[in-house]
Amino acid sequence: MCRVFAGQDPEGYRQINRSIRIDGHSTSIQLEATFWALLDEIADSQGLTTPKFISKLYDEAIEINGQIPNFASMLRTTCALYLRGHRPGIEEHSAPKREAA
């Protein structure tokens, strides 16, 4: 059963650092190659570059939640949500926003 997971290509979990601008500041984000590939796919599905998608995601998360305790973890869970079929749609634009705590 675990051979599918244990036998995966090590290239998929190789750590990759990317430097991007978020909120006007240059920052470095370290994620596994598989997550970068998924973020590239998500960004492309939104008609954005990956840095632009990540910057937009950051801005919206700050607006909704007020803070992001661990942005790299948020990016990983974004990928998990995407793989589970959660996709931005028209209905999200009419959904009420949560107040920041």
Side-chain angles (χ1 to χ4, degrees):
M1 170 179 84
C2 291
R3 288 189 179 275
V4 169
F5 305 117
Q8 67 182 293
D9 182 355
E11 184 61 26
Y13 52 86
R14 180 175 59 89
Q15 294 284 311
I16 297 174
N17 283 307
R18 287 194 189 175
S19 293
I20 62 170
R21 281 186 105 48
I22 297 177
D23 198 26
H25 303 281
S26 222
T27 190
S28 180
I29 299 172
Q30 183 179 42
L31 296 171
E32 296 76 11
T34 297
F35 289 112
W36 283 118
L38 281 166
L39 288 169
D40 292 342
E41 183 179 322
I42 297 168
D44 186 59
S45 76
Q46 298 298 300
L48 299 169
T49 64
T50 302
K52 183 67 176 171
F53 170 74
I54 290 172
S55 181
K56 211 171 150 94
L57 178 63
Y58 177 87
D59 290 344
E60 289 181 15
I62 291 294
E63 180 183 322
I64 293 167
N65 299 311
Q67 64 177 341
I68 305 168
N70 186 328
F71 191 56
S73 290
M74 183 189 167
L75 292 173
R76 288 183 188 93
T77 56
T78 295
C79 292
L81 288 169
Y82 178 77
L83 290 175
R84 288 183 163 177
H86 297 272
R87 305 290 196 276
I90 296 169
E91 69 276 32
E92 99 174 343
H93 299 294
S94 60
K97 290 189 166 78
R98 256 190 332 149
E99 293 291 320

